[in-house]
Amino acid sequence: MGKYGLLGAHLEYSYSPEIHSKFGDYQYDLIEIPEEKLKEVVNSPEYDGFNVTIPYKRSVITLCDEVSSEALRIGAVNTIVKENGLKKGYNTDYFGFCYMLKRNNIELKGKKCMVLGNGGASAMVQTVMRDQGASEIVVVSRHGEDNYDNLDRHFDSEIIVNATPVGMYPNNGVSLVNVDDFPNLSGAVDLIYNPNKTKFILDATTRGIPACGGLSMLVAQAEKSSELFQHRVIDDEEIDAAIYDIRSELLNVVLIGMPGAGKTFLGRRIAEREHRKFIDLDDLIVEREGMSIPEIFRTKGEDYFRNVETEVLRETCKMSGVVIACGGGIVKRKQNYNLAKQNSRIIWVKRDLDKLDTEGRPISQTKSVEEIYEARKDLYEAWSDYFIDNNQDFN
C-alpha cells in the first residue's frame, strides 16, 4: 500500500490527506517538523515518499540523490519518491500550474505577465511563463526594482499571478493590486486556495476577467505526485472529479432570502444531511449583543445592526464546510457579497409572500412585505448560485 506524507512547518489547514485519498489507497500523513529534523525524516525507512511544502521545498534538494530537470530549473522540490534505494526529487507544482491555466483557458503566450512575490512559488510560475512563451515577465516584490510603489510602470500587464500569501485565510479580504488599474488584464490567477476566491479573484471576476484560485492547481499537483508514488497513470478526468468533490466539501452553503422564508429550517436540514455545522447569523448576533433582533432595531437602530451583521458574516464566512442562514437584509450591503462569495455557494430560499413566517421578525413598520421584496429580489437573484422553492408546508 505504501506510506507517504506531507513535510512542512505549519500544516494545520492542509487539505492534502483528503485530496490524496481521491487518487489511491495508501497512508498519507501530515508531518509537521522543524528544519533540524528534515534530514532524519526524509532518510527514514518508515516512508516511501513525501510531498514537501513551505518552507522546505528548496532545502530538500540537497537530500535527494536525483532531481528532475523541472525541479532543477525551478530550484525547488515538492515531491520525493524512494526507488531502488535512491531518493528522487520532482516538482509537480509545475504540472499543477499548467493544468490550472489550461482548465481556465488562460493563455500566457505573447502576453506581458506580472508575478506578485519572489519566493519559491514565484520561481515555478516564472518557469512556466518562460516555457509557454510570455513576451515579458515582471516580478514584483516589496523591496525589488519593481515593487508595489511603482506598479504604475506595469499597468499594461495582461496576466497577473499572485504567488504571495496575501489574501490567504485567516487574513481574507485583502489584495496587493487594484484590478481597475490594469485596463489590458485578460487573466487573474491566485495560487491561494483558502479561501476559494480571494479578493483579487473576486474583483477580477466582477469585471468579467477570466480568473481562478489555486484549488485546481493543488489537486492537479497532488494527482501528479500520486502517479509518481503509485507508478501508474491517472486519467485527467479523475483530477476534475477530485476538484469538484473537494470544492463541494470545503465550500460553505449560505442561505439568503426574505425573513420567514425558511432559511433556518432548511439550513438545519441541509447541515444534518451533509454532516456539517449549522450557523444562524441572527442567533450569533443575539448572543453577541445580549438582546433580540427586534430589540436591537428598536434601541440601537438598523445601521448599528447592519454593522454587527457584516462583522459576524466576515468572521463566519472565513470558515469552511458550514451551513449559514443569513438574515433577510444581508443583501442590502454591497460589501457583504464578497464576504459571502469568497468561500461559499449561495442559495436563495424562495417562498410566496403570503406564506412568510414574519412573527417576531424586524419587518419594517413603514413598508409592506411586498415593497421590501421588490427592493431586494434583484439582489437575491444577483447573489445566488441556485435557488430552492420552499412553498411546501414546513411540517
Side-chain angles (χ1 to χ4, degrees):
M1 183 173 70
K3 186 176 180 181
Y4 303 89
L6 175 64
L7 295 170
H10 304 288
L11 304 176
E12 57 187 311
Y13 302 118
S14 174
Y15 302 152
S16 291
E18 291 82 359
I19 296 172
H20 276 268
S21 71
K22 308 290 183 184
F23 298 123
D25 182 21
Y26 48 85
Q27 182 174 335
Y28 192 93
D29 300 333
L30 296 179
I31 310 168
E32 192 171 292
I33 53 172
E35 187 161 10
E36 57 267 25
K37 290 280 189 180
L38 195 58
K39 182 176 181 180
E40 175 187 338
V41 174
V42 169
N43 290 332
S44 169
E46 181 180 0
Y47 288 94
D48 300 297
F50 306 93
N51 286 130
V52 186
T53 190
I54 298 171
Y56 303 139
K57 291 184 181 183
R58 286 174 169 159
S59 52
V60 296
I61 291 179
T62 58
L63 302 179
C64 295
D65 301 300
E66 297 179 7
V67 179
S68 71
S69 60
E70 287 168 354
L72 284 173
R73 288 193 295 133
I74 294 166
V77 161
N78 82 321
T79 302
I80 298 173
V81 180
K82 296 179 180 179
E83 296 178 3
N84 302 318
L86 298 177
K87 297 182 291 293
K88 299 182 179 181
Y90 304 87
N91 192 299
T92 65
D93 286 335
Y94 182 100
F95 170 81
F97 186 61
C98 291
Y99 190 89
M100 175 168 62
L101 294 174
K102 181 180 178 181
R103 188 173 191 267
N104 291 279
N105 298 312
I106 295 176
E107 295 278 347
L108 304 183
K109 186 175 182 179
K111 302 284 184 67
K112 178 173 180 177
C113 299
M114 175 185 289
V115 187
L116 307 179
N118 63 353
S122 174
M124 178 275 296
V125 170
Q126 292 172 56
T127 302
V128 172
M129 287 176 171
R130 285 191 292 270
D131 289 352
Q132 294 197 4
S135 63
E136 183 179 352
I137 301 171
V138 178
V139 180
V140 178
S141 60
R142 296 193 182 279
H143 306 295
E145 178 182 348
D146 293 300
N147 55 66
Y148 299 102
D149 294 325
N150 59 26
L151 275 179
D152 57 315
R153 296 162 54 178
H154 302 292
F155 280 169
D156 59 339
S157 295
E158 297 165 277
I159 303 290
I160 301 178
V161 178
N162 179 37
T164 79
V166 174
M168 184 170 67
Y169 176 88
N171 300 309
N172 307 37
V174 293
S175 175
L176 287 166
V177 297
N178 180 354
V179 297
D180 288 337
D181 292 332
F182 298 86
N184 300 329
L185 195 61
S186 62
V189 181
D190 204 321
L191 303 192
I192 291 171
Y193 53 85
N194 186 9
N196 183 56
K197 293 182 179 179
T198 60
K199 183 179 187 301
F200 172 50
I201 294 303
L202 284 168
D203 288 348
T205 302
T206 299
R207 288 153 184 78
I209 299 166
C212 58
L215 182 62
S216 56
M217 172 181 159
L218 178 71
V219 174
Q221 67 80 23
E223 182 266 358
K224 184 59 66 175
S225 294
S226 187
E227 285 189 341
L228 293 168
F229 292 160
Q230 300 181 86
H231 307 288
R232 75 178 183 94
V233 175
I234 299 173
D235 195 289
D236 281 358
E237 289 184 2
E238 292 190 40
I239 304 179
D240 287 337
I243 292 169
Y244 178 84
D245 288 345
I246 294 294
R247 181 172 281 126
S248 296
E249 292 166 13
L250 294 177
L251 286 181
N252 302 318
V253 175
V254 170
L255 302 176
I256 62 172
M258 286 288 286
K263 300 184 294 291
T264 297
F265 175 83
L266 289 173
R268 291 187 188 280
R269 286 288 184 89
I270 293 170
E272 181 180 355
R273 186 186 69 216
E274 299 186 2
H275 307 289
R276 296 171 179 248
K277 180 179 179 179
F278 173 72
I279 298 171
D280 188 302
L281 282 194
D282 282 353
D283 286 349
L284 288 184
I285 293 170
V286 168
E287 181 180 347
R288 174 179 290 197
E289 295 298 308
M291 63 179 74
S292 69
I293 303 296
E295 285 178 310
I296 297 173
F297 269 69
R298 185 173 62 253
T299 61
K300 298 187 176 183
E302 182 174 358
D303 282 347
Y304 178 86
F305 173 81
R306 296 299 173 201
N307 288 336
V308 175
E309 183 179 53
T310 294
E311 288 310 306
V312 172
L313 182 70
R314 186 189 312 278
E315 295 166 11
T316 305
C317 284
K318 287 183 180 182
M319 304 171 74
S320 296
V322 300
V323 180
I324 304 167
C326 298
I330 198 79
V331 296
K332 293 180 68 174
R333 284 201 169 176
K334 185 177 180 181
Q335 70 190 96
N336 290 345
Y337 174 79
N338 274 6
L339 296 178
K341 198 67 175 177
Q342 64 181 331
N343 229 18
S344 309
R345 290 171 289 161
I346 301 179
I347 299 176
W348 176 13
V349 179
K350 295 184 177 183
R351 190 167 173 85
D352 292 345
L353 301 187
D354 60 353
K355 295 181 180 179
L356 296 178
D357 177 14
T358 58
E359 185 177 351
R361 301 178 187 276
I363 296 292
S364 171
Q365 300 301 306
T366 60
K367 294 182 180 179
S368 68
V369 171
E370 289 76 14
E371 288 176 307
I372 294 171
Y373 177 73
E374 284 300 316
R376 295 179 183 175
K377 68 177 183 179
D378 289 344
L379 293 171
Y380 290 147
E381 178 73 35
W383 277 45
S384 59
D385 299 300
Y386 314 98
F387 75 87
I388 295 175
D389 185 342
N390 190 34
N391 280 301
Q392 74 279 8
D393 191 311
F394 276 5
N395 295 318

